[in-house]
Amino acid sequence: MLRTLRIYRRGLGANLRAVLEYEADFWILVVAGALFQTLNLLFLSSVFAHVPTLNGWTFPEALLLTGMFGVTIGTGPLFFEGTWRLAGKINHGELDYALVRPAPVPVQVISGGIGLHGVGDMLAGGAMIAWALAHLDVAWSPVRVLVALVLLVSAITVNLSLVVLGNCASFWIAGPHPFFAVTLMNINNLVRYPIGIFGLGVRAALTLVVPWAFMTYFPVAWLLDKPSPWIGLLTPLAALYLALLARTAFRAGLRRYDSAGH
């Protein structure tokens, strides 16, 4: 495990150093991420300028949800950006290089890139969370803080696992671009808002089919004591299930991989 983590850290570090060689690009990417989350904030503000609550959620509560989205979604580019290059590697047979190196293939793929716009996402999302919590009456206790941290880590795991799962589809869907993964990632925009505003079918899909709701809605609903808060406590189980599913899918894809000409 320690060796695997060391390989991951060194691979990610090499890509980070390469990106930091171009200072202007670094700042452009960070600002781009922050601007994306700022647009989410402006949209949410315009909605609450016309309504006092959104499906029972006040503005600070909804902002906490949006901030949670920014923090969790920002971890993908920062830590798993290399996964988005998997489709191209499969299509061009470049995954052969990873297969012959004495290191786990998933670790080589995942650490094969870094997207610094994730820094902007996380900074803006963190600022929204801080402002929202300052305007909410949350009964904090040592246990509540500990559970909140566990749910945050689990929510991040849900996001990263779904990133891997979406890109693993490239083992079965021929082509140099991860169209399936892009479509899957676009669905997560729905969980920036309380999922109660959607119909039963959409809520079921976001909970059971593609459980994006465990990335934001259910953990935040638990923290705010919204109806059925116990569902939020299932987030670690959802994260474990998705992580194991992503691992299984990647292994199955590697067995199917047939080098160039895929």
Side-chain angles (χ1 to χ4, degrees):
M1 178 63 71
L2 291 176
R3 177 177 177 273
T4 299
L5 289 175
R6 186 166 60 251
I7 292 170
Y8 170 77
R9 178 182 59 82
R10 295 189 67 175
L12 200 65
N15 282 283
L16 177 60
R17 289 191 296 273
V19 173
L20 292 179
E21 286 291 325
Y22 305 92
E23 186 176 347
D25 288 354
F26 167 78
W27 288 111
I28 289 172
L29 288 170
V30 172
V31 171
L35 284 177
F36 175 72
Q37 298 305 325
T38 301
L39 290 175
N40 290 337
L41 171 61
L42 292 175
F43 177 78
L44 195 65
S45 300
S46 66
V47 170
F48 278 93
H50 296 87
V51 296
T53 61
L54 188 63
N55 194 236
W57 290 61
T58 63
F59 177 69
E61 291 173 338
L63 187 62
L64 180 60
L65 195 62
T66 300
M68 181 75 166
F69 176 83
V71 169
T72 52
I73 207 68
T75 58
L78 269 181
F79 303 112
F80 274 43
E81 182 69 9
T83 315
W84 290 96
R85 303 178 183 180
L86 181 59
K89 291 179 181 295
I90 294 170
N91 187 258
H92 296 104
E94 295 174 1
L95 202 58
D96 294 1
Y97 298 115
L99 287 168
V100 298
R101 294 187 187 118
V105 176
V107 173
Q108 294 183 64
V109 171
I110 289 168
S111 63
I114 187 168
L116 292 179
H117 56 284
V119 175
D121 288 326
M122 296 185 73
L123 288 176
M128 285 187 272
I129 289 175
W131 187 93
L133 290 177
H135 291 78
L136 290 169
D137 186 19
V138 179
W140 293 107
S141 67
V143 173
R144 199 172 187 83
V145 170
L146 178 61
V147 174
L149 291 175
V150 171
L151 294 184
L152 175 61
V153 172
S154 300
I156 290 172
T157 303
V158 167
N159 173 52
L160 297 180
S161 298
L162 286 171
V163 168
V164 174
L165 273 171
N167 281 281
C168 279
S170 298
F171 283 110
W172 289 270
I173 303 174
H177 304 293
F179 294 114
F180 180 83
V182 171
T183 301
L184 189 66
M185 294 304 109
N186 284 334
I187 296 173
N188 68 20
N189 286 308
L190 298 176
V191 296
R192 289 182 293 168
Y193 316 106
I195 64 172
I197 65 177
F198 304 114
L200 179 60
V202 174
R203 295 200 304 272
L206 293 175
T207 304
L208 301 174
V209 181
V210 186
W212 284 118
F214 286 99
M215 188 181 80
T216 56
Y217 178 77
F218 289 127
V220 173
W222 171 84
L223 184 65
L224 300 177
D225 289 321
K226 291 296 182 180
S228 303
W230 61 270
I231 300 178
L233 297 176
L234 299 178
T235 305
L237 293 178
L240 178 61
Y241 167 73
L242 289 170
L244 292 174
L245 188 61
R247 179 172 178 265
T248 302
F250 201 104
R251 286 187 169 186
L254 282 180
R255 288 195 296 270
R256 189 183 185 281
Y257 175 69
D258 55 6
S259 191
H262 173 78

